[in-house]
Amino acid sequence: MDIKTYGVVGSGQMGSGIAQVAAMSGVDVIMNDIKQDFLDVGMGYIKKSLERIVKKGKMTEADMNAVLGRITTTVDLKDMGKADYVIEAATENEEIKYDIFRRLDEICTPDIILGTNTSSIPIGRIAAETKRPEKVIGMHFMHPVPVMKLVEVICGIATSEETFQVTWDLSEKFGKTPARANDFPGFISNRILMPMINEAVFALFQGIGSREDIDTVMKLGMNHPMGPLELADLIGLDTCLAIMETLHDGFKDSKYRPCSLLRKYVEAGWLGRKTGRGFYEYE
Ligand code: CAA
């Protein structure tokens, strides 16, 4: 299947990153969000990221402009009807995602695959909102999307092998290495990553170590590029909490209970880098 136009719903840190890597691979991208302001912020992220790549000498300015020229923005979801493949990268909220999928199912012709970048909501549940469950799949990028090599491809119970293969091939076209996961809460990535982050929050909560010491142990002792608390700030503490809730609800196992300190931070609006404060403070 030749994907010439890729539709991206959502222009936040994930949606804009996905739009960027798609455009860098040579496909045309239509990026949608509910407000032009959000789209402008997303385009700002993309420009900044591309300028970084140009500065490194890994891309010419002309190529950067060509990449930017391949991305169009729209506040009208109906424009997704022009895309050959659509990925949803909206906020990690089940009702919002279900609504988007119900609307995309009306807008896009039945042959179009609808992917989701959800980090933990079951693919089968999202697929059930559509009349094309065999064409619904998880295409889960990692943050920061331009840098991270992985795409986790998640098949729901009804996802067809053809849908899987198209998504796998598209991930490779975008310069990523795909890995296949089945549809269980958190898939592979967050089933393993989030309990580690949650445990780091417990370690902080119980006074086992300071934020710096916890992060230093994992960075220097385990060679992780970032400590778990720094990483939580990068991902967003609201997202971390939402994923822990999904694991807890999905498995009904108390080992996945979110640490109450994580919940407290989220309630205080300390969501990490995006709000200027999480476990650390940012400019
Ligand atoms: N756009 C383009 N390039 C970027 C970039 C961006 N947004 N951010 C970083 N880079 C580039 C830098 O220019 C640099 O390039 P070179 O190697 O060519 O010099 C390279 O990436 C490394 O960046 P920095 O030197 O600025 O910083 P660093 O070495 O500390 O790396 C990091 C930063 C890549 C974020 C690294 O710390 C890291 O890998 N952290 C872990 C990230 C991670 O675990 N992500 C997954 C989160 S989980 C998730 O996303 C899934 C989910 O469902 C929650």
Tab-separated table of all heavy atoms in Angstrom, residues 112-174:
chain	number	residue	atom	x	y	z
A	112	ILE	N	-9.276	2.787	4.641
A	112	ILE	CA	-8.201	3.529	5.319
A	112	ILE	C	-7.925	2.954	6.709
A	112	ILE	O	-8.841	2.711	7.488
A	112	ILE	CB	-8.590	5.036	5.429
A	112	ILE	CG1	-8.760	5.649	4.029
A	112	ILE	CG2	-7.583	5.829	6.249
A	112	ILE	CD1	-7.528	5.628	3.156
A	113	ILE	N	-6.642	2.780	7.012
A	113	ILE	CA	-6.236	2.301	8.337
A	113	ILE	C	-6.251	3.476	9.317
A	113	ILE	O	-5.792	4.576	8.988
A	113	ILE	CB	-4.819	1.674	8.284
A	113	ILE	CG1	-4.832	0.424	7.386
A	113	ILE	CG2	-4.306	1.340	9.688
A	113	ILE	CD1	-3.452	-0.179	7.142
A	114	LEU	N	-6.782	3.219	10.510
A	114	LEU	CA	-6.794	4.220	11.572
A	114	LEU	C	-5.875	3.737	12.687
A	114	LEU	O	-6.168	2.736	13.353
A	114	LEU	CB	-8.217	4.417	12.105
A	114	LEU	CG	-9.305	4.776	11.064
A	114	LEU	CD1	-10.677	4.877	11.744
A	114	LEU	CD2	-8.975	6.094	10.355
A	115	GLY	N	-4.759	4.422	12.855
A	115	GLY	CA	-3.799	4.059	13.907
A	115	GLY	C	-4.012	4.948	15.118
A	115	GLY	O	-4.593	6.030	15.022
A	116	THR	N	-3.539	4.466	16.255
A	116	THR	CA	-3.576	5.306	17.454
A	116	THR	C	-2.212	5.278	18.129
A	116	THR	O	-1.560	4.234	18.174
A	116	THR	CB	-4.666	4.856	18.461
A	116	THR	OG1	-4.480	5.587	19.682
A	116	THR	CG2	-4.632	3.372	18.753
A	117	ASN	N	-1.806	6.421	18.630
A	117	ASN	CA	-0.541	6.518	19.363
A	117	ASN	C	-0.787	6.338	20.870
A	117	ASN	O	0.068	6.699	21.673
A	117	ASN	CB	0.101	7.879	19.069
A	117	ASN	CG	1.471	8.027	19.697
A	117	ASN	OD1	2.361	7.215	19.472
A	117	ASN	ND2	1.650	9.053	20.531
A	118	THR	N	-1.939	5.780	21.231
A	118	THR	CA	-2.204	5.628	22.672
A	118	THR	C	-1.049	4.910	23.367
A	118	THR	O	-0.446	3.997	22.801
A	118	THR	CB	-3.520	4.855	22.943
A	118	THR	OG1	-3.686	4.774	24.361
A	118	THR	CG2	-3.509	3.458	22.360
A	119	SER	N	-0.765	5.335	24.592
A	119	SER	CA	0.325	4.690	25.310
A	119	SER	C	-0.176	3.551	26.181
A	119	SER	O	0.625	2.823	26.737
A	119	SER	CB	1.101	5.708	26.134
A	119	SER	OG	0.265	6.692	26.646
A	120	SER	N	-1.492	3.382	26.314
A	120	SER	CA	-1.949	2.272	27.154
A	120	SER	C	-3.408	1.856	26.991
A	120	SER	O	-3.800	0.811	27.499
A	120	SER	CB	-1.692	2.593	28.627
A	120	SER	OG	-2.439	3.729	28.993
A	121	ILE	N	-4.219	2.642	26.299
A	121	ILE	CA	-5.637	2.264	26.188
A	121	ILE	C	-5.751	1.068	25.234
A	121	ILE	O	-5.137	1.075	24.160
A	121	ILE	CB	-6.478	3.465	25.675
A	121	ILE	CG1	-6.374	4.636	26.665
A	121	ILE	CG2	-7.941	3.053	25.478
A	121	ILE	CD1	-6.926	5.941	26.145
A	122	PRO	N	-6.518	0.030	25.624
A	122	PRO	CA	-6.602	-1.160	24.773
A	122	PRO	C	-7.055	-0.833	23.337
A	122	PRO	O	-8.034	-0.102	23.132
A	122	PRO	CB	-7.633	-2.030	25.491
A	122	PRO	CG	-7.557	-1.611	26.917
A	122	PRO	CD	-7.248	-0.137	26.882
A	123	ILE	N	-6.322	-1.386	22.375
A	123	ILE	CA	-6.616	-1.149	20.953
A	123	ILE	C	-7.995	-1.723	20.607
A	123	ILE	O	-8.767	-1.120	19.869
A	123	ILE	CB	-5.531	-1.808	20.057
A	123	ILE	CG1	-4.126	-1.322	20.448
A	123	ILE	CG2	-5.811	-1.563	18.575
A	123	ILE	CD1	-3.917	0.162	20.436
A	124	GLY	N	-8.305	-2.888	21.193
A	124	GLY	CA	-9.589	-3.541	20.910
A	124	GLY	C	-10.762	-2.665	21.325
A	124	GLY	O	-11.797	-2.643	20.652
A	125	ARG	N	-10.586	-1.933	22.429
A	125	ARG	CA	-11.659	-1.065	22.905
A	125	ARG	C	-11.852	0.117	21.951
A	125	ARG	O	-12.967	0.515	21.654
A	125	ARG	CB	-11.296	-0.562	24.308
A	125	ARG	CG	-12.453	-0.623	25.257
A	125	ARG	CD	-12.077	-0.009	26.592
A	125	ARG	NE	-11.431	-0.933	27.499
A	125	ARG	CZ	-10.757	-0.535	28.596
A	125	ARG	NH1	-10.631	0.742	28.878
A	125	ARG	NH2	-10.203	-1.418	29.385
A	126	ILE	N	-10.752	0.675	21.459
A	126	ILE	CA	-10.836	1.791	20.503
A	126	ILE	C	-11.438	1.286	19.187
A	126	ILE	O	-12.329	1.911	18.605
A	126	ILE	CB	-9.437	2.422	20.270
A	126	ILE	CG1	-8.910	3.040	21.575
A	126	ILE	CG2	-9.477	3.452	19.150
A	126	ILE	CD1	-7.485	3.573	21.501
A	127	ALA	N	-10.980	0.098	18.752
A	127	ALA	CA	-11.443	-0.475	17.483
A	127	ALA	C	-12.948	-0.707	17.500
A	127	ALA	O	-13.632	-0.532	16.478
A	127	ALA	CB	-10.711	-1.782	17.214
A	128	ALA	N	-13.464	-1.086	18.684
A	128	ALA	CA	-14.885	-1.404	18.801
A	128	ALA	C	-15.777	-0.178	18.593
A	128	ALA	O	-16.979	-0.308	18.374
A	128	ALA	CB	-15.169	-2.037	20.160
A	129	GLU	N	-15.187	1.007	18.637
A	129	GLU	CA	-15.951	2.238	18.378
A	129	GLU	C	-16.154	2.452	16.875
A	129	GLU	O	-16.836	3.385	16.473
A	129	GLU	CB	-15.222	3.460	18.952
A	129	GLU	CG	-15.075	3.438	20.465
A	129	GLU	CD	-16.417	3.514	21.189
A	129	GLU	OE1	-17.321	4.210	20.701
A	129	GLU	OE2	-16.543	2.860	22.253
A	130	THR	N	-15.500	1.638	16.047
A	130	THR	CA	-15.565	1.821	14.591
A	130	THR	C	-16.244	0.621	13.931
A	130	THR	O	-16.437	-0.421	14.569
A	130	THR	CB	-14.156	1.955	13.981
A	130	THR	OG1	-13.537	0.656	13.989
A	130	THR	CG2	-13.285	2.930	14.760
A	131	LYS	N	-16.513	0.772	12.629
A	131	LYS	CA	-17.066	-0.359	11.864
A	131	LYS	C	-15.946	-1.052	11.098
A	131	LYS	O	-16.198	-1.819	10.187
A	131	LYS	CB	-18.130	0.171	10.889
A	131	LYS	CG	-19.347	0.746	11.587
A	131	LYS	CD	-20.398	1.178	10.581
A	131	LYS	CE	-21.361	2.207	11.150
A	131	LYS	NZ	-20.765	3.575	11.235
A	132	ARG	N	-14.701	-0.737	11.424
A	132	ARG	CA	-13.557	-1.342	10.728
A	132	ARG	C	-12.494	-1.826	11.734
A	132	ARG	O	-11.315	-1.450	11.615
A	132	ARG	CB	-12.935	-0.326	9.754
A	132	ARG	CG	-12.329	0.868	10.448
A	132	ARG	CD	-11.774	1.906	9.501
A	132	ARG	NE	-12.809	2.853	9.137
A	132	ARG	CZ	-12.682	3.745	8.169
A	132	ARG	NH1	-11.563	3.816	7.462
A	132	ARG	NH2	-13.666	4.571	7.896
A	133	PRO	N	-12.885	-2.642	12.713
A	133	PRO	CA	-11.915	-3.031	13.760
A	133	PRO	C	-10.661	-3.691	13.194
A	133	PRO	O	-9.590	-3.596	13.786
A	133	PRO	CB	-12.706	-3.996	14.648
A	133	PRO	CG	-13.907	-4.379	13.861
A	133	PRO	CD	-14.211	-3.255	12.933
A	134	GLU	N	-10.787	-4.342	12.019
A	134	GLU	CA	-9.615	-5.004	11.421
A	134	GLU	C	-8.616	-3.976	10.905
A	134	GLU	O	-7.464	-4.316	10.627
A	134	GLU	CB	-10.049	-5.972	10.305
A	134	GLU	CG	-10.520	-5.350	8.995
A	134	GLU	CD	-11.880	-4.624	9.057
A	134	GLU	OE1	-12.575	-4.685	10.097
A	134	GLU	OE2	-12.239	-3.984	8.053
A	135	LYS	N	-9.044	-2.728	10.781
A	135	LYS	CA	-8.161	-1.680	10.268
A	135	LYS	C	-7.743	-0.699	11.360
A	135	LYS	O	-7.304	0.416	11.077
A	135	LYS	CB	-8.850	-0.931	9.115
A	135	LYS	CG	-9.032	-1.816	7.897
A	135	LYS	CD	-9.100	-1.029	6.628
A	135	LYS	CE	-9.071	-1.919	5.417
A	135	LYS	NZ	-7.762	-2.521	5.172
A	136	VAL	N	-7.890	-1.100	12.595
A	136	VAL	CA	-7.465	-0.238	13.712
A	136	VAL	C	-6.260	-0.902	14.394
A	136	VAL	O	-6.262	-2.105	14.641
A	136	VAL	CB	-8.627	-0.016	14.713
A	136	VAL	CG1	-8.147	0.767	15.929
A	136	VAL	CG2	-9.779	0.720	14.017
A	137	ILE	N	-5.237	-0.086	14.673
A	137	ILE	CA	-3.969	-0.628	15.181
A	137	ILE	C	-3.267	0.415	16.049
A	137	ILE	O	-3.510	1.618	15.897
A	137	ILE	CB	-3.082	-1.057	13.979
A	137	ILE	CG1	-1.879	-1.900	14.443
A	137	ILE	CG2	-2.631	0.143	13.137
A	137	ILE	CD1	-1.210	-2.690	13.329
A	138	GLY	N	-2.408	-0.038	16.916
A	138	GLY	CA	-1.570	0.884	17.689
A	138	GLY	C	-0.268	1.139	16.948
A	138	GLY	O	0.384	0.201	16.483
A	139	MET	N	0.060	2.413	16.787
A	139	MET	CA	1.349	2.797	16.192
A	139	MET	C	1.947	3.763	17.214
A	139	MET	O	1.700	4.962	17.183
A	139	MET	CB	1.128	3.468	14.828
A	139	MET	CG	2.401	3.710	14.047
A	139	MET	SD	2.055	4.425	12.410
A	139	MET	CE	3.658	4.174	11.633
A	140	HIS	N	2.717	3.198	18.137
A	140	HIS	CA	3.103	3.933	19.347
A	140	HIS	C	4.544	4.430	19.238
A	140	HIS	O	5.491	3.634	19.277
A	140	HIS	CB	2.921	2.994	20.551
A	140	HIS	CG	3.198	3.623	21.861
A	140	HIS	ND1	3.649	2.916	22.948
A	140	HIS	CD2	3.105	4.913	22.281
A	140	HIS	CE1	3.806	3.735	23.969
A	140	HIS	NE2	3.487	4.949	23.589
A	141	PHE	N	4.663	5.739	19.074
A	141	PHE	CA	5.978	6.383	18.979
A	141	PHE	C	6.450	6.761	20.380
A	141	PHE	O	5.642	6.926	21.296
A	141	PHE	CB	5.871	7.647	18.127
A	141	PHE	CG	5.584	7.400	16.672
A	141	PHE	CD1	4.292	7.127	16.223
A	141	PHE	CD2	6.601	7.439	15.730
A	141	PHE	CE1	4.017	6.902	14.882
A	141	PHE	CE2	6.352	7.221	14.384
A	141	PHE	CZ	5.056	6.954	13.962
A	142	MET	N	7.748	6.963	20.517
A	142	MET	CA	8.320	7.340	21.808
A	142	MET	C	8.772	8.805	21.759
A	142	MET	O	9.144	9.306	20.698
A	142	MET	CB	9.548	6.462	22.131
A	142	MET	CG	9.266	4.987	22.133
A	142	MET	SD	8.179	4.472	23.489
A	142	MET	CE	6.946	3.561	22.558
A	143	HIS	N	8.812	9.417	22.898
A	143	HIS	CA	9.183	10.825	23.008
A	143	HIS	C	10.663	10.977	23.400
A	143	HIS	O	11.099	10.282	24.309
A	143	HIS	CB	8.282	11.468	24.071
A	143	HIS	CG	8.580	12.905	24.305
A	143	HIS	ND1	8.452	13.859	23.323
A	143	HIS	CD2	9.027	13.549	25.408
A	143	HIS	CE1	8.805	15.034	23.835
A	143	HIS	NE2	9.150	14.876	25.088
A	144	PRO	N	11.470	11.818	22.787
A	144	PRO	CA	11.130	12.702	21.663
A	144	PRO	C	11.140	11.939	20.335
A	144	PRO	O	12.114	11.262	20.017
A	144	PRO	CB	12.244	13.756	21.699
A	144	PRO	CG	13.354	13.205	22.534
A	144	PRO	CD	12.837	12.071	23.330
A	145	VAL	N	10.043	12.069	19.604
A	145	VAL	CA	9.829	11.240	18.406
A	145	VAL	C	10.968	11.353	17.376
A	145	VAL	O	11.391	10.343	16.820
A	145	VAL	CB	8.460	11.572	17.754
A	145	VAL	CG1	8.229	10.697	16.527
A	145	VAL	CG2	7.323	11.392	18.746
A	146	PRO	N	11.508	12.548	17.106
A	146	PRO	CA	12.563	12.602	16.082
A	146	PRO	C	13.823	11.820	16.467
A	146	PRO	O	14.603	11.442	15.605
A	146	PRO	CB	12.881	14.103	15.964
A	146	PRO	CG	11.695	14.789	16.538
A	146	PRO	CD	11.176	13.885	17.615
A	147	VAL	N	14.004	11.573	17.769
A	147	VAL	CA	15.245	10.942	18.242
A	147	VAL	C	15.073	9.447	18.512
A	147	VAL	O	15.965	8.648	18.233
A	147	VAL	CB	15.719	11.624	19.559
A	147	VAL	CG1	17.023	11.014	20.054
A	147	VAL	CG2	15.854	13.124	19.369
A	148	MET	N	13.940	9.072	19.082
A	148	MET	CA	13.772	7.691	19.546
A	148	MET	C	13.481	6.762	18.369
A	148	MET	O	12.618	7.049	17.541
A	148	MET	CB	12.642	7.598	20.586
A	148	MET	CG	12.812	8.539	21.773
A	148	MET	SD	14.370	8.343	22.654
A	148	MET	CE	14.009	6.870	23.584
A	149	LYS	N	14.178	5.653	18.342
A	149	LYS	CA	14.151	4.758	17.174
A	149	LYS	C	12.937	3.830	17.132
A	149	LYS	O	12.647	3.231	16.097
A	149	LYS	CB	15.415	3.872	17.187
A	149	LYS	CG	16.673	4.607	16.765
A	149	LYS	CD	16.897	4.395	15.271
A	149	LYS	CE	17.909	5.309	14.665
A	149	LYS	NZ	17.350	6.146	13.618
A	150	LEU	N	12.282	3.652	18.269
A	150	LEU	CA	11.242	2.612	18.340
A	150	LEU	C	9.860	3.073	17.886
A	150	LEU	O	9.449	4.194	18.191
A	150	LEU	CB	11.118	2.132	19.795
A	150	LEU	CG	10.034	1.079	20.051
A	150	LEU	CD1	10.440	-0.274	19.488
A	150	LEU	CD2	9.722	0.958	21.539
A	151	VAL	N	9.162	2.173	17.188
A	151	VAL	CA	7.700	2.269	17.095
A	151	VAL	C	7.155	0.924	17.573
A	151	VAL	O	7.527	-0.130	17.051
A	151	VAL	CB	7.211	2.549	15.654
A	151	VAL	CG1	5.687	2.446	15.588
A	151	VAL	CG2	7.633	3.940	15.195
A	152	GLU	N	6.313	0.964	18.594
A	152	GLU	CA	5.683	-0.252	19.092
A	152	GLU	C	4.387	-0.422	18.294
A	152	GLU	O	3.528	0.463	18.305
A	152	GLU	CB	5.391	-0.048	20.589
A	152	GLU	CG	4.979	-1.272	21.327
A	152	GLU	CD	4.775	-0.997	22.828
A	152	GLU	OE1	4.477	0.160	23.216
A	152	GLU	OE2	4.892	-1.939	23.612
A	153	VAL	N	4.288	-1.529	17.567
A	153	VAL	CA	3.096	-1.768	16.733
A	153	VAL	C	2.215	-2.756	17.489
A	153	VAL	O	2.644	-3.883	17.775
A	153	VAL	CB	3.505	-2.321	15.354
A	153	VAL	CG1	2.259	-2.588	14.511
A	153	VAL	CG2	4.431	-1.343	14.624
A	154	ILE	N	0.997	-2.319	17.839
A	154	ILE	CA	0.150	-3.135	18.702
A	154	ILE	C	-1.100	-3.605	17.963
A	154	ILE	O	-1.894	-2.806	17.484
A	154	ILE	CB	-0.272	-2.347	19.966
A	154	ILE	CG1	0.964	-1.762	20.667
A	154	ILE	CG2	-1.044	-3.235	20.927
A	154	ILE	CD1	1.014	-0.267	20.678
A	155	CYS	N	-1.244	-4.923	17.918
A	155	CYS	CA	-2.404	-5.507	17.238
A	155	CYS	C	-3.503	-5.803	18.244
A	155	CYS	O	-3.266	-6.509	19.235
A	155	CYS	CB	-1.998	-6.802	16.552
A	155	CYS	SG	-0.864	-6.512	15.191
A	156	GLY	N	-4.681	-5.293	17.972
A	156	GLY	CA	-5.855	-5.657	18.757
A	156	GLY	C	-6.321	-7.036	18.311
A	156	GLY	O	-5.820	-7.576	17.311
A	157	ILE	N	-7.317	-7.581	19.007
A	157	ILE	CA	-7.762	-8.949	18.702
A	157	ILE	C	-8.304	-9.044	17.269
A	157	ILE	O	-8.187	-10.085	16.617
A	157	ILE	CB	-8.801	-9.418	19.757
A	157	ILE	CG1	-8.979	-10.928	19.693
A	157	ILE	CG2	-10.129	-8.703	19.640
A	157	ILE	CD1	-9.616	-11.509	20.948
A	158	ALA	N	-8.856	-7.934	16.739
A	158	ALA	CA	-9.451	-7.978	15.399
A	158	ALA	C	-8.536	-7.416	14.310
A	158	ALA	O	-8.884	-7.452	13.130
A	158	ALA	CB	-10.763	-7.181	15.419
A	159	THR	N	-7.375	-6.876	14.693
A	159	THR	CA	-6.495	-6.239	13.692
A	159	THR	C	-6.024	-7.273	12.664
A	159	THR	O	-5.563	-8.359	13.037
A	159	THR	CB	-5.252	-5.619	14.380
A	159	THR	OG1	-5.689	-4.785	15.444
A	159	THR	CG2	-4.419	-4.809	13.395
A	160	SER	N	-6.119	-6.921	11.380
A	160	SER	CA	-5.728	-7.891	10.339
A	160	SER	C	-4.216	-7.890	10.144
A	160	SER	O	-3.530	-6.906	10.466
A	160	SER	CB	-6.421	-7.550	9.021
A	160	SER	OG	-5.852	-6.381	8.473
A	161	GLU	N	-3.704	-8.967	9.584
A	161	GLU	CA	-2.266	-9.063	9.284
A	161	GLU	C	-1.878	-7.999	8.264
A	161	GLU	O	-0.768	-7.470	8.294
A	161	GLU	CB	-1.909	-10.458	8.749
A	161	GLU	CG	-1.536	-11.455	9.820
A	161	GLU	CD	-0.468	-10.987	10.821
A	161	GLU	OE1	0.697	-10.720	10.445
A	161	GLU	OE2	-0.810	-10.874	12.014
A	162	GLU	N	-2.796	-7.681	7.335
A	162	GLU	CA	-2.488	-6.666	6.327
A	162	GLU	C	-2.291	-5.293	6.989
A	162	GLU	O	-1.338	-4.567	6.688
A	162	GLU	CB	-3.610	-6.593	5.287
A	162	GLU	CG	-3.214	-5.779	4.080
A	162	GLU	CD	-4.398	-5.297	3.262
A	162	GLU	OE1	-5.543	-5.698	3.542
A	162	GLU	OE2	-4.153	-4.481	2.338
A	163	THR	N	-3.176	-4.970	7.923
A	163	THR	CA	-3.059	-3.700	8.654
A	163	THR	C	-1.731	-3.661	9.406
A	163	THR	O	-1.022	-2.643	9.419
A	163	THR	CB	-4.242	-3.548	9.645
A	163	THR	OG1	-5.443	-3.549	8.876
A	163	THR	CG2	-4.149	-2.286	10.463
A	164	PHE	N	-1.389	-4.801	10.027
A	164	PHE	CA	-0.123	-4.889	10.751
A	164	PHE	C	1.051	-4.642	9.801
A	164	PHE	O	1.941	-3.839	10.088
A	164	PHE	CB	0.007	-6.276	11.419
A	164	PHE	CG	1.413	-6.575	11.845
A	164	PHE	CD1	1.966	-5.940	12.950
A	164	PHE	CD2	2.203	-7.442	11.102
A	164	PHE	CE1	3.279	-6.184	13.317
A	164	PHE	CE2	3.517	-7.686	11.463
A	164	PHE	CZ	4.059	-7.058	12.577
A	165	GLN	N	1.043	-5.311	8.642
A	165	GLN	CA	2.180	-5.219	7.719
A	165	GLN	C	2.346	-3.793	7.181
A	165	GLN	O	3.466	-3.283	7.089
A	165	GLN	CB	1.991	-6.218	6.561
A	165	GLN	CG	3.282	-6.527	5.821
A	165	GLN	CD	4.392	-7.064	6.733
A	165	GLN	OE1	4.190	-8.028	7.450
A	165	GLN	NE2	5.558	-6.411	6.731
A	166	VAL	N	1.228	-3.153	6.834
A	166	VAL	CA	1.298	-1.773	6.322
A	166	VAL	C	1.905	-0.859	7.393
A	166	VAL	O	2.765	-0.016	7.111
A	166	VAL	CB	-0.117	-1.263	5.904
A	166	VAL	CG1	-0.081	0.224	5.571
A	166	VAL	CG2	-0.655	-2.067	4.724
A	167	THR	N	1.505	-1.048	8.627
A	167	THR	CA	1.970	-0.198	9.726
A	167	THR	C	3.445	-0.456	10.021
A	167	THR	O	4.228	0.478	10.262
A	167	THR	CB	1.093	-0.442	10.983
A	167	THR	OG1	-0.270	-0.254	10.600
A	167	THR	CG2	1.450	0.491	12.105
A	168	TRP	N	3.823	-1.718	9.985
A	168	TRP	CA	5.227	-2.109	10.192
A	168	TRP	C	6.103	-1.456	9.112
A	168	TRP	O	7.132	-0.833	9.403
A	168	TRP	CB	5.323	-3.636	10.113
A	168	TRP	CG	6.655	-4.233	10.413
A	168	TRP	CD1	7.676	-4.437	9.527
A	168	TRP	CD2	7.132	-4.713	11.675
A	168	TRP	NE1	8.749	-5.017	10.158
A	168	TRP	CE2	8.438	-5.205	11.480
A	168	TRP	CE3	6.576	-4.790	12.951
A	168	TRP	CZ2	9.194	-5.766	12.519
A	168	TRP	CZ3	7.333	-5.341	13.969
A	168	TRP	CH2	8.622	-5.814	13.759
A	169	ASP	N	5.667	-1.588	7.843
A	169	ASP	CA	6.437	-1.033	6.718
A	169	ASP	C	6.512	0.498	6.814
A	169	ASP	O	7.550	1.101	6.528
A	169	ASP	CB	5.805	-1.424	5.367
A	169	ASP	CG	5.907	-2.936	5.116
A	169	ASP	OD1	6.664	-3.605	5.852
A	169	ASP	OD2	5.209	-3.438	4.211
A	170	LEU	N	5.412	1.109	7.233
A	170	LEU	CA	5.383	2.567	7.354
A	170	LEU	C	6.352	3.038	8.448
A	170	LEU	O	7.061	4.030	8.282
A	170	LEU	CB	3.954	3.022	7.674
A	170	LEU	CG	3.622	4.495	7.500
A	170	LEU	CD1	3.884	4.973	6.070
A	170	LEU	CD2	2.155	4.753	7.863
A	171	SER	N	6.415	2.292	9.539
A	171	SER	CA	7.339	2.635	10.625
A	171	SER	C	8.770	2.612	10.099
A	171	SER	O	9.574	3.508	10.406
A	171	SER	CB	7.222	1.632	11.780
A	171	SER	OG	5.896	1.524	12.196
A	172	GLU	N	9.079	1.607	9.298
A	172	GLU	CA	10.437	1.514	8.727
A	172	GLU	C	10.682	2.658	7.748
A	172	GLU	O	11.767	3.237	7.714
A	172	GLU	CB	10.630	0.162	8.045
A	172	GLU	CG	10.737	-0.959	9.084
A	172	GLU	CD	11.015	-2.327	8.478
A	172	GLU	OE1	10.653	-2.560	7.307
A	172	GLU	OE2	11.592	-3.173	9.214
A	173	LYS	N	9.665	2.997	6.963
A	173	LYS	CA	9.801	4.119	6.022
A	173	LYS	C	10.114	5.420	6.779
A	173	LYS	O	10.836	6.285	6.294
A	173	LYS	CB	8.497	4.266	5.222
A	173	LYS	CG	8.557	5.336	4.164
A	173	LYS	CD	7.289	5.405	3.350
A	173	LYS	CE	7.369	6.615	2.453
A	173	LYS	NZ	6.678	6.525	1.230
A	174	PHE	N	9.557	5.543	7.978
A	174	PHE	CA	9.798	6.732	8.799
A	174	PHE	C	11.167	6.677	9.490
A	174	PHE	O	11.494	7.526	10.312
A	174	PHE	CB	8.717	6.882	9.878
A	174	PHE	CG	7.342	7.239	9.368
A	174	PHE	CD1	6.247	7.240	10.219
A	174	PHE	CD2	7.126	7.579	8.030
A	174	PHE	CE1	4.982	7.569	9.764
A	174	PHE	CE2	5.852	7.901	7.563
A	174	PHE	CZ	4.780	7.886	8.437
